[in-house]
Amino acid sequence: MALEARLKFVKMYGMKDQHKASKVTILIPAYNEGTVIGSVIDKLLKDLKRTGLEKATVVVINDGSKDNTAQEVRKRSGVTLVSHILNSGAGAAIRTGLSYARDTGADYAVTMDADGQHDSEDVARVVQELVKDNSDIVIGSRLINAEGMPWYRILGNKGLSFFTFTLFGLWVRDSQSGLRGFNRKALERITFHSNNYTYNSELMWRIKQNKLKVKEIPIKAIYSEYSLAKGQSNWEVVHIVRQLLKYRFLEFFNG
Amino acid sequence: MDKYVLLFILNVPFVIFGVLKAVMVYRTKSVDRLTFALRMLFWLLILLVLIFSHGIYNYLFDHGLTDSTPLSLPDVVLATGVMICLSLCVRLYSKVDAMDKRISDLHEKLSIYTSKEE
C-alpha cells in the first residue's frame, strides 16, 4: 500500500532521481509551539519518507521558547535542534536556519511554519518545483486558492504584498507565506536583517536586488483556532511598514 | 559678503559629500542604477535650491507666497545647523542599525555554535 502511494505521488509530481542525491534541509522556526510541534514533526517525517525525501535534514530553530518546545523536539530522533539563546523573532529564526543550511552544504532549503498551518506534502512539492523548474526561490502561495482563509488574513496579506511591490518592485501574490524553498544559489546570496515578521517583505526586496528567479505554487493553508491565534496580526502592519520605510531610507542614503 | 553666497558656501560641502558617497557606493556596486540616479537627483535638487535660493525667495515674495524678511545671518547659521544635525542623525541612525545587525549576526553564530556543541 505504501509503495502504491509512493508511486502515485511520483507519477503526479514527476520526481526525478537527481533530487534524491541532493541535500535537502527543512527549516522549522518555532516559538512556544510545545503543544503542536511534536505532531507537526511526526507528520512531516512520515510525508518525507513517503515522497522519497527520507534523507532530508529536519532542523527546528527554537527561538528562545519558554515552554517544552525544545524537549518535544529532542524526543524525536533524526531532528536537529538549534536553539536561540534569546528570543529574537521569526526573521532571526529563519535567518539562523538559512545560515545553518548554507554552512552544512544544503543544496535546497525549505522553510515551513511550526503551528501546523502547512501541509507537509506541500514541502515535497516545493522541493520538486525547485529541482524541476530551475527556480531559485519557490513560494507556496495561499492566495492562489484562498479557500478557508479568513477574510481579514486575505486582506492583510494582499495589502502587505501590494505595499512590498510598491516599495521594492517585486510582485508576489503571497509575500508573507512561511513556506518557501531556496536553492543553493539563493542560500548563498540572500541576506536580510529584519528580526521580526518584516523579514517577509525584506526578503522580497533582497530577491529583487540579487535578481533571483521566483515561482509561486498554490498550497493548502490549514487554519485552526490555534494557528489563527499565532502568526502576525493585521495591526503589526503599521510596524512592518514603518520598518520597511526605514530600511529603504537608510539604503537610499548609505547604499 | 552676500548672505545667500554664504549660505551656499557653508552648505555645498554637504552636497559634495553626498554626491561623492553616492558615486562611491555605485562604483562598489552596492546599489543599482535607479537608486544611484535617484540619489544624484536628490543632491542636484538640494544644489539647485542653494544656488537659486535668492531667486526662489524673490519669486515667493513677489507672488505673495511668503511675507518673511530676506535671509539674515542668524538664518544662515540656523539653516547650516539644521543640515549638520540632519547629517549627524542619518549617520547615527546608520551606525545604530549596523550595530543591531552585528549583534543579530553574533547571536545567530553563537546559537548555531552552542547547538552544535550540545
Side-chain angles (χ1 to χ4, degrees):
Chain A
M1 188 63 183
L3 178 63
E4 275 173 25
R6 189 176 156 159
L7 285 171
K8 185 183 168 190
F9 193 92
V10 167
K11 197 177 169 188
M12 274 168 69
Y13 298 114
M15 293 279 203
K16 291 180 183 162
D17 283 335
Q18 67 191 70
H19 93 276
K20 291 178 189 172
S22 308
K23 187 172 157 80
V24 177
T25 303
I26 315 294
L27 304 167
I28 311 174
Y31 176 64
N32 289 349
E33 302 282 8
T35 49
V36 298
I37 190 74
S39 53
V40 168
I41 292 172
D42 292 338
K43 185 169 187 306
L44 174 66
L45 291 172
K46 215 186 292 184
D47 286 337
L48 287 174
K49 197 174 174 185
R50 194 167 59 80
T51 56
L53 286 168
E54 57 275 342
K55 290 203 172 101
T57 309
V58 176
V59 180
V60 174
I61 304 100
N62 173 25
D63 186 27
S65 299
K66 299 271 184 291
D67 66 357
N68 61 336
T69 300
Q71 289 88 325
E72 284 297 314
V73 175
R74 285 198 187 99
K75 280 182 196 170
R76 274 88 187 158
S77 62
V79 179
T80 305
L81 176 69
V82 174
S83 288
H84 273 172
I85 299 163
L86 302 168
N87 170 239
S88 302
I94 291 287
R95 200 171 52 238
T96 300
L98 292 175
S99 188
Y100 183 91
R102 188 174 49 242
D103 293 348
T104 53
D107 297 305
Y108 304 102
V110 180
T111 63
M112 65 176 281
D113 288 355
D115 58 5
Q117 198 188 116
H118 295 135
D119 187 344
S120 38
E121 262 196 35
D122 287 329
V123 171
R125 289 179 55 230
V126 166
V127 174
Q128 173 58 18
E129 284 299 326
L130 277 170
V131 173
K132 189 174 73 174
D133 193 57
N134 216 23
S135 301
D136 299 313
I137 311 230
V138 171
I139 297 174
S141 174
R142 300 160 297 177
L143 294 177
I144 293 176
N145 175 14
E147 197 183 308
M149 198 173 185
W151 67 267
Y152 52 89
R153 283 282 170 112
I154 295 174
L155 189 68
N157 285 326
K158 282 190 172 173
L160 268 173
S161 294
F162 177 73
F163 186 77
T164 303
F165 168 67
T166 309
L167 212 52
F168 305 124
L170 179 71
W171 175 245
V172 163
R173 258 178 282 211
D174 191 0
S175 63
Q176 309 300 302
S177 172
L179 182 57
R180 295 189 188 97
F182 303 80
N183 67 2
R184 184 74 203 171
K185 180 179 163 190
L187 281 176
E188 282 168 358
R189 291 197 190 176
I190 289 270
T191 54
F192 58 88
H193 302 290
S194 307
N195 285 341
N196 55 12
Y197 282 113
T198 311
Y199 90 92
N200 286 308
S201 297
E202 194 191 342
L203 194 59
M204 300 302 119
W205 181 19
R206 303 304 175 196
I207 289 169
K208 176 101 196 284
Q209 282 183 325
N210 288 286
K211 297 182 176 59
L212 297 170
K213 191 177 163 196
V214 182
K215 182 173 179 171
E216 278 186 284
I217 61 170
I219 59 163
K220 188 170 57 177
I222 304 160
Y223 286 101
S224 60
E225 250 183 67
Y226 178 82
S227 63
L228 283 171
K230 285 276 185 162
Q232 53 184 122
S233 80
N234 281 356
W235 295 112
E236 285 178 44
V237 167
V238 174
H239 179 65
I240 289 170
V241 163
R242 207 163 51 91
Q243 265 199 303
L244 292 172
L245 286 170
K246 178 189 110 175
Y247 291 145
R248 207 72 181 96
F249 172 78
L250 280 173
E251 197 130 325
F252 181 77
F253 280 102
N254 294 318
Chain B
M1 183 188 275
D2 185 32
K3 293 173 192 66
Y4 291 97
V5 173
L6 187 64
L7 179 74
F8 177 83
I9 290 169
L10 288 176
N11 290 283
V12 86
F14 294 104
V15 175
I16 293 168
F17 179 74
V19 166
L20 284 174
K21 186 133 193 254
V23 169
M24 190 180 73
V25 161
Y26 178 65
R27 285 186 71 152
T28 56
K29 297 194 185 345
S30 298
V31 293
D32 57 21
R33 208 176 276 181
L34 177 64
T35 309
F36 171 66
L38 285 170
R39 285 176 80 164
M40 292 302 281
L41 182 66
F42 172 78
W43 289 115
L44 180 68
L45 283 171
I46 301 288
L47 185 67
L48 287 173
V49 167
L50 286 174
I51 292 169
F52 298 109
S53 49
H54 197 176
I56 292 169
Y57 171 77
N58 287 339
Y59 176 85
L60 291 173
F61 192 83
D62 292 344
H63 287 78
L65 294 167
T66 183
D67 57 2
S68 62
T69 54
L71 194 71
S72 64
L73 199 55
D75 289 336
V76 172
V77 171
L78 199 67
T80 309
V82 166
M83 281 290 267
I84 292 170
C85 287
L86 272 172
S87 319
L88 281 174
C89 279
V90 170
R91 286 193 71 186
L92 274 169
Y93 207 38
S94 304
K95 272 201 187 317
V96 167
D97 194 57
M99 277 172 60
D100 184 37
K101 284 174 197 171
R102 287 284 282 177
I103 290 168
S104 294
D105 289 345
L106 180 65
H107 178 239
E108 178 192 304
K109 296 277 181 275
L110 258 175
S111 299
I112 293 174
Y113 179 77
T114 51
S115 298
K116 279 180 180 167
E117 290 291 299
E118 278 172 22

